[in-house]
Amino acid sequence: MPKLVLACLIGACFTGPAFGKDREDDSSTSSATPNIYLDLRTSYATVPAGALPVGFGSSALFTALQSLALASGGTLPTNVSLPSRQSLAVDLPLTVDVSDTVSLYAGISGTTTYGPAQGWSQFDVTSWNVGFQADLYTQNGGSIPTITWQSTITQAIPNGPTGTTTFNNILEFDYAFDADATRGMLAGIQDTRVEVATALARIHPNIIGYVGGYYQWPSNWKFTGRVGAQHFGGAQLLNFAQIQSFTQPILRLDLDRMDDNDNRLFGVTAQIMWVPKPSYQLTLRTPLYFVRN
């Protein structure tokens, strides 16, 4: 993969669950016509030297940093660490809200990265992804929280000897305090695993456990916070020195503008990960609707 690829994360979002229809706040009735939209997400991140963070949500930045490190690893002497990076990613998943409880998506991501030695690289398409999000159980005013599962596969472009395939799974529990689900508590776990095409490199699993809550005002602005701990098992990247494992805090804050049917109109996400030094990410979400119910 060209070295022009983006360094970094997420969450996965960075960006965590990323849909025009907010699954955590879904109290509208089903429509015969599904929502269809490009869930455009633009992410900027900083990564300290020697780090390979994962974080919540979108795996585009993380995949780009993997590819950058692996592509460079064969040309650098042993024990050269990854430099610090700034990165910019644009995700374009075409999303279909099949129902109020199921969404399907597939798309591409483009990235660019900045390093102290070479400046900003050329912007390139660096991965594609496909996935779904589904409510396995809905609370509907009961005592058992809504249970949501999201699964995403991200494949680096090009898929050569140093290509990576990332599997990201999130299981989240959402307990709403009212019938309209305008305020509630969250708890969940995210598991990220990476397969590298070459046997000379290995990236160990990353697991995040978190708790949080949300509140939606009558004006349809919604705030969501998540705080937890991230355990990254470390990595061996060709001739690079081993990236050490760590267990550190992680924080994600979301502010979203919804419509009356809980479709997301605009969102901004801020995330801080300690890897173990702080890594920062800011994501803007501006869905482009073809059909909106």
Side-chain angles (χ1 to χ4, degrees):
M1 164 146 338
K3 297 179 183 178
L4 328 165
V5 285
L6 197 196
C8 204
L9 314 232
I10 166 37
C13 226
F14 313 121
T15 356
F19 300 96
K21 173 74 72 176
D22 191 338
R23 316 301 304 172
E24 300 161 2
D25 190 28
D26 191 357
S27 57
S28 60
T29 58
S30 297
S31 171
T33 305
N35 285 344
I36 303 174
Y37 53 96
L38 281 174
D39 191 18
L40 174 62
R41 304 189 300 270
T42 305
S43 301
Y44 169 79
T46 64
V47 188
L52 192 66
V54 182
F56 289 112
S58 167
S59 54
L61 295 175
F62 180 51
T63 299
L65 182 58
Q66 295 166 15
S67 300
L68 177 67
L70 291 166
S72 302
T75 61
L76 295 178
T78 303
N79 295 327
V80 173
S81 64
L82 289 169
S84 61
R85 294 279 164 178
Q86 300 177 54
S87 55
L88 182 69
V90 177
D91 298 313
L92 285 170
L94 179 64
T95 305
V96 179
D97 290 335
V98 178
S99 68
D100 286 343
T101 59
V102 177
S103 295
L104 308 175
Y105 53 93
I108 59 173
S109 300
T111 58
T112 179
T113 186
Y114 174 87
Q118 81 278 12
W120 285 100
S121 67
Q122 177 181 326
F123 186 87
D124 267 340
V125 175
T126 52
S127 64
W128 59 262
N129 63 79
V130 60
F132 71 90
Q133 177 168 304
D135 289 347
L136 305 180
Y137 178 86
T138 53
Q139 183 177 355
N140 286 333
S143 58
I144 300 176
T146 296
I147 303 173
T148 302
W149 177 25
Q150 183 185 15
S151 186
T152 307
I153 299 174
T154 303
Q155 175 66 63
I157 299 174
N159 185 22
T162 59
T164 61
T165 305
T166 302
F167 303 89
N168 192 65
N169 291 284
I170 302 171
L171 184 67
E172 185 168 88
F173 299 84
D174 175 353
Y175 185 83
F177 293 135
D178 59 354
D180 293 332
T182 59
R183 53 193 177 90
M185 297 179 62
L186 302 170
I189 186 168
Q190 174 178 299
D191 181 274
T192 303
R193 296 175 186 267
V194 180
E195 294 294 331
V196 186
T198 176
L200 300 177
R202 186 178 182 188
I203 300 174
H204 297 281
N206 184 82
I207 297 175
I208 299 173
Y210 62 91
V211 296
Y214 57 89
Y215 183 85
Q216 184 167 331
W217 287 268
S219 60
N220 286 334
W221 282 98
K222 180 180 180 181
F223 173 79
T224 306
R226 294 174 177 87
V227 61
Q230 175 176 220
H231 174 74
F232 179 47
Q236 296 82 42
L237 302 177
L238 300 176
N239 288 340
F240 281 112
Q242 176 176 325
I243 297 175
Q244 298 297 320
S245 63
F246 63 81
T247 301
Q248 293 287 342
I250 185 169
L251 173 68
R252 171 178 161 175
L253 304 174
D254 296 87
L255 182 64
D256 296 296
R257 171 66 172 174
M258 318 299 290
D259 67 12
D260 290 336
N261 293 317
D262 294 329
N263 299 301
R264 179 177 287 105
L265 302 178
F266 169 81
V268 58
T269 297
Q271 183 175 194
I272 305 174
M273 297 173 290
W274 284 262
V275 291
K277 294 181 179 180
S279 175
Y280 304 95
Q281 181 189 344
L282 183 68
T283 301
L284 298 180
R285 300 172 59 177
T286 50
L288 305 176
Y289 286 90
F290 303 110
V291 178
R292 177 159 65 97
N293 297 307

